Amino acid sequence: MEINKQIEKAKQGDQVAFTFLLDYYWNEVYGFMLKRTENETNAEDITIETFSKAFDKIATYNSEFQFNTWLIAIAKNVHIDLLRKKKSSLFVEITDEQDQQAYNIADTTPSAEDELITEQNLSQLLQFIKELKPHYQEVIQLRYFQEMSYQEIANKIDEPLSNVKIKLLRAKKLLAEIIQNKR
């Protein structure tokens, strides 16, 4: 089955497979968390954190279980942790060792989304970016206009590197969808 192939590729560190899994399961995990939290921002933050944890720990995924069941279990745990903390800050500090183990989702080859975004003229692109949620606008702005590295962005917005990578993947996908819908 296609999904199992993508999971195996992702276990080997394949960038395209990570992106495929993120796109394929995003709405299911997000929808599940939206029902539980009844808050779009919290649901989105938990979903980002869920994929971040899932990709860090994908080697431990047991194929006897459905992949979406595994993702939902991670999402539930992230949500429980959030409720336990009861702090305004969602993201836990992660150690340097964990940070170095963060999957290398920062592929340098431009994706289809990158190429579509690059083709736009600046004023048009800025209009499209304004349609994104503020936290997506921020990572796009820092990455493409201030040309910060993933690590610099992580330091600036005080979030783990893996979360920054997931947010950028998601932001680029949403931006590409906006561009295509306006064509």
Side-chain angles (χ1 to χ4, degrees):
M1 188 177 148
E2 173 68 11
I3 293 297
N4 294 338
K5 275 189 206 152
Q6 296 296 336
I7 293 165
E8 283 311 307
K9 285 183 184 174
K11 281 184 175 184
Q12 308 302 315
D14 184 308
Q15 158 71 28
V16 177
F18 280 130
T19 306
F20 175 87
L21 294 170
L22 178 75
D23 290 346
Y24 192 85
Y25 289 107
W26 178 274
N27 289 342
E28 184 174 354
V29 176
Y30 174 75
F32 176 81
M33 288 320 305
L34 189 58
K35 277 192 199 118
R36 279 179 76 125
T37 62
E38 297 178 351
N39 177 309
E40 284 185 22
T41 305
N42 287 348
E44 199 158 30
D45 286 345
I46 291 168
T47 305
I48 288 167
E49 181 74 2
T50 298
F51 279 99
S52 172
K53 285 185 183 309
F55 291 154
D56 280 343
K57 301 194 177 351
I58 196 157
T60 67
Y61 166 69
N62 180 344
S63 57
E64 287 176 32
F65 302 99
Q66 292 290 321
F67 193 71
N68 58 341
T69 307
W70 184 66
L71 286 172
I72 295 293
I74 294 171
K76 285 179 184 173
N77 290 335
V78 170
H79 187 216
I80 289 164
D81 288 348
L82 173 64
L83 294 174
R84 262 195 210 120
K85 284 185 189 116
K86 285 279 185 188
K87 285 183 187 166
S88 59
S89 171
L90 169 69
F91 300 103
V92 292
E93 285 298 311
I94 74 173
T95 63
D96 285 343
E97 186 188 323
Q98 281 178 300
D99 222 359
Q100 278 157 357
Q101 286 176 334
Y103 49 92
N104 186 16
I105 217 164
D107 196 359
T108 51
T109 54
S111 65
E113 287 92 351
D114 287 318
E115 287 168 14
L116 189 61
I117 291 165
T118 312
E119 285 172 14
Q120 305 309 303
N121 72 44
L122 189 59
S123 62
Q124 218 182 8
L125 186 60
L126 291 171
Q127 284 306 116
F128 294 148
I129 291 170
K130 283 181 185 160
E131 293 183 37
L132 295 171
K133 288 187 177 170
H135 63 272
Y136 289 143
Q137 288 180 30
E138 182 182 30
V139 292
I140 289 276
Q141 212 270 332
L142 294 172
R143 180 77 176 138
Y144 295 100
F145 294 97
Q146 295 183 27
E147 297 184 346
M148 287 186 174
S149 69
Y150 289 94
Q151 190 59 61
E152 288 168 334
I153 296 169
N155 295 345
K156 179 156 176 67
I157 65 175
D158 195 28
E159 283 188 24
L161 182 63
S162 50
N163 289 13
V164 169
K165 291 174 179 180
I166 297 290
K167 270 190 180 172
L168 266 164
L169 270 178
R170 188 75 188 142
K172 287 194 300 187
K173 182 178 184 341
L174 293 170
L175 189 56
E177 285 171 7
I178 291 167
I179 293 167
Q180 282 178 321
N181 290 338
K182 302 284 181 181
R183 279 186 162 175

